[in-house]
Each structure stands twice: as structure tokens, then as C-alpha cells.
Amino acid sequence: LLKVLSRIDSILRSPRAPPLIFRPSKGPMQNYIKENGQGCGFEHLPLTVEMWADQLIALKDLHRSLRKLSLELLPWNTADPQDNRESIRVEDLQLIVDAILEELENKEKNRQTQSLQTLSAIVSHFQKLFDVNSLNGVYPRMNEVYTKLGEMTNAMRNLHELLELDSSAPPTVVVDTVGKLCDIINKNVTEQVQQLLGTQDIQSIINKLEEHECFFPPFQALIQDLLCLLEISNVDDILPAVQNLK
């Protein structure tokens, strides 16, 4: 028995043993050890062995939890030759952890690759939409688009206010309203021209304009000749100058 205890004690004293496990004996047991010439603290060995037994049980529980986590992250990796073993080693747990870490690293790399592909597709789509031939032209065109968008937004806001439209009215409503205003203005202009020329139809307006083209050039030449003969520069002075000649 003493040999077994000595063997266990030497294991506890070894560098591979967990730290703070070996504690020298005190009290009556220390006197017994001194009397029998033994230099190890056997009285703490049962507690240590119990602690190791608990740790081995906990190791199995940890292995079971890691297996569940592995099945969640690596559902295709269902084979585990350690499931039927009585003893679980730390190396077994380390293999599971390494496999999980490797899978997470691969997912991160794939995610970064997908992000780069997505960004590249976005830039290419922007170049196609706004006719940008090179990557160097992307930022200037972005700034240009941003500026134009701001100008358009301000213009639409001003039109909404001028036309007394709700701010949520879409651009199509703004365009329709402006078109109706243009129709009203054009109709009023036509009516004013008709009233001015004293006619109600387009052909009559055309005839009036043709008569004007026939009459106005000779009349203008006559007025110019009168201004030169009478030595005046104002049309209003023609009549008084002619009356003075009488």
C-alpha cells in the first residue's frame, strides 16, 4: 500500500501534475510520516483522486456539449469514433474544437470573399448606369449625381410650394399640374391675340399677318423719307412739320 501511495505521490509531485495539488501533511499524520521515514503527504491523496474523478466526469460532459455544438456548426460531420469510448482524452476535445475553429475561419473567409464580390457588382452596376468608364471616374460621378439629386430635390420642393401641392405628391402629379397650367396660359394667349386682331379663327389671323407684311414695308419706307425731307428724327414731329409748310 505504501508503495502505491508513494507512486501516486510521485505523480502528484511531477511537473505534469496540475499546480497546487500537492500539499505537505500537517498534524499527527506528519508525525507518523516522520516516524516511518516517508516524505509524502498521503492524507490528501483521497481528496485529489476524488477531484480527478470529478474532472473526468466533467470531461465527458464537456465532450458531449462540444459534440452538440459540432453537430450544429458541422452537420455533415456526424461520425465520432470517441462516442463509444469509456475514457475521453483532452486530445479528443481539442480535435473537435480545432474542427469548429477551422469551419468558422472558412466561413469568415467566404463571407469576406462574398462581400468583395458584392461590392464589385455594385461598382460595376453604377458604372453601367451612369456611363463611367474607369474606377477613377466613379467618385467624381457620384459627387455629380449627388449634386444633381440635390438640385432636383430643391426644384421639386419649390414646385410643390408654388403649385400648392402636398409634399408627398409624386413627380407625375407635378408634371400634370404644370401641363394644365401651360394649356391654360396658351389658351389665354390665343384669346388675347384673337381679340387684338379682331378675328376668331386661325385663317383670319394668317390673312391679317399677310396684309401686315404687304403694307408695313412701304409704309416704313415712306415714314423714313418724310423724316429725312423734314429733317426731323421723331415720328410725332411729322404732322407739325407738314402743317408749318402750309
Side-chain angles (χ1 to χ4, degrees), residues 91-104:
E91 290 83 353
D92 302 333
L93 305 182
Q94 189 64 48
L95 288 175
I96 298 176
V97 172
D98 290 342
I100 294 175
L101 291 177
E102 183 179 359
E103 177 64 19
L104 293 178

Side-chain angles (χ1 to χ4, degrees), residues 101-224:
L101 291 177
E102 183 179 359
E103 177 64 19
L104 293 178
E105 290 176 358
N106 292 334
K107 285 185 177 181
E108 180 64 20
K109 291 179 181 179
N110 293 335
R111 188 184 66 82
Q112 292 177 356
T113 302
Q114 292 174 358
S115 298
L116 291 176
Q117 292 175 350
T118 302
L119 290 176
S120 178
I122 292 173
V123 173
S124 298
H125 189 61
F126 180 88
Q127 289 182 268
K128 182 177 179 180
L129 287 178
F130 298 100
D131 194 22
V132 182
N133 296 325
S134 64
L135 290 177
N136 293 332
V138 170
Y139 280 111
R141 186 56 58 87
M142 281 185 175
N143 293 333
E144 181 181 351
V145 170
Y146 178 78
T147 301
K148 294 296 183 182
L149 178 61
E151 293 175 355
M152 185 191 70
T153 301
N154 292 333
M156 291 298 295
R157 186 185 301 111
N158 293 333
L159 285 174
H160 279 92
E161 294 178 356
L162 290 174
L163 299 175
E164 297 182 354
L165 296 174
D166 188 81
S167 59
S168 61
T172 52
V173 174
V174 176
V175 174
D176 291 341
T177 305
V178 172
K180 291 178 182 178
L181 287 177
C182 291
D183 292 340
I184 293 173
I185 292 173
N186 291 334
K187 183 178 180 181
N188 291 338
V189 170
T190 302
E191 291 176 354
Q192 291 175 2
V193 171
Q194 290 175 348
Q195 292 176 2
L196 179 63
L197 298 177
T199 182
Q200 299 297 324
D201 59 89
I202 298 298
Q203 187 60 42
S204 297
I205 294 175
I206 294 174
N207 295 335
K208 290 287 185 180
L209 292 175
E210 290 177 348
E211 292 175 1
H212 177 271
E213 290 180 353
C214 294
F215 169 77
F216 186 75
F219 177 76
Q220 184 181 20
L222 175 63
I223 295 298
Q224 291 294 333

